Amino acid sequence: MSKHRKHRTRHVLALSTAGALTLAAGVVAAASASQSDRSTADATCSYALSDTAPQVGDNPRHVITGDLDNDGAEDVVAADNDTDTLSVLLGNGDGTFADAKQYAVGDKPYQTVIADFDGDGDADLATADFDGGTVSVLLGAGDGTFAAATQYTVGAGARSLVPGDVDGDGDLDIAVAEESGGGVSLLLGDGSGAFTTELETVTVSRPHGLVLTDLDGDGDLDIATASVASAGGVSVALGDGDGTFGNVTEYDSVSRLYSLTSGDFDGDGETDLAAVSNGSNTLEIYAGNGDGTFGDPTDLTTPALPVSVNSADLDGDGTDDLLVSSLSGSSVTVYQDGAEVTELTAAGAYEADAADLTSDGVQDLVVASSSADEVDVFTGTCA
């Protein structure tokens, strides 16, 4: 088990806008898996690979789900790393999808988020463009179509991004982890879908994974990152609610943390963190203390070369589960209550997300198949 240490480093730059945080519940609902139906509580869930495998662009790295056209059915967006596009798959509500429509974004898009950036009630998209060092923002029309991307220059190696109101003005902002730039930058939203860039608001070493959530229970958004450096490490900077952040606290880990997620993984009501290392084939779970600090990680073995970890309450028991995608292992592994419960074969698995794609109240899984240029669908059954 890795040892935990706390180390205070540089204080972050102050931003100009002040105010209290608005948690933007509508954005969370749009961008995350549908988890309102708790009828599956205490159930055992299994997943079957569907015949549906929609084609997307070359080398899809990440997928995300949400209702893009306001029809009540879950849709899917894939980031196509080798074609510099986003593929939008509109769902029919039965686990099938219309043909993908592709939108041009920046160089080597790595991750996408769904949120309402212009306050019109419709879903918009933003993507982190790794080679371009940009964030591409596409405003939605509410019918599943999107305007051409507007690009904002951030630091080099934009890997991960998360929306949230960090400065308390009621408008959504975007936090961006820049692996090569060595920090987290902010795109401060003006409520119309336009942004102003604040570079390297938090300085950390080679951030690859990113979380933006309230870690200490004060109502303000905090930042956590996972480092892909050889020394690894999870870094936490607590937010002040006005767009500024406190000193960075670092937690040791195994090397090369490639992805980071948050949730309540032990059912104690506090926010925990989980990261995967593609350097040691490890899932690390950091139990939160509720005050923005974390205990020593619990290490679990994963299949070969894990590249993504996501969280979702798959069985409706109120405790979040973990989905680990392993590229060389060609699988998605489900972990519950600190233990592996199932491993699903998924060729070239780069990321998995959960949503009710079949409108039956049970969570299904979608997986970015980077080797087959498609999105694999696993239909869930809970009993």
Side-chain angles (χ1 to χ4, degrees), residues 20-21 23 213-222 238-241 290-292:
L21 171 72
L23 283 177
T213 192
D214 183 5
L215 298 174
D216 57 1
D218 66 353
D220 301 325
L221 290 180
D222 310 308
L238 300 181
D240 295 323
D291 59 359

Side-chain angles (χ1 to χ4, degrees), residues 8-33:
R8 292 293 184 181
T9 60
R10 169 185 170 186
H11 195 278
V12 300
L13 300 177
L15 304 182
S16 59
T17 306
L21 171 72
T22 301
L23 283 177
V27 175
V28 174
S32 63

Side-chain angles (χ1 to χ4, degrees), residues 113-120 122-126 137-141 146:
V113 294
I114 301 172
D116 182 10
F117 295 120
D118 56 4
D120 64 354
D122 299 321
D124 308 312
L125 304 176
V137 177
L138 300 83
L139 299 181
F146 296 86

Side-chain angles (χ1 to χ4, degrees), residues 55-60 78 80-83 85 87 100 102 369 373-374:
Q55 292 294 300
V56 293
D58 292 349
N59 192 11
D80 308 319
N81 193 252
D82 289 352
T83 49
T85 57
S87 289
Q102 294 183 327
S369 175
D373 301 335
E374 66 186 23

Side-chain angles (χ1 to χ4, degrees), residues 46-57:
S46 60
Y47 303 90
L49 180 63
S50 171
D51 293 335
T52 296
Q55 292 294 300
V56 293

Side-chain angles (χ1 to χ4, degrees), residues 153-155 160 174-178 183-187 197-202 210 223:
T153 299
V154 292
S160 305
I174 303 174
V176 189
E178 302 146 358
V184 177
S185 291
L186 297 179
L187 296 179
T197 306
E198 294 282 352
L199 290 176
E200 293 188 14
T201 304
V202 175
L210 175 66
I223 284 174

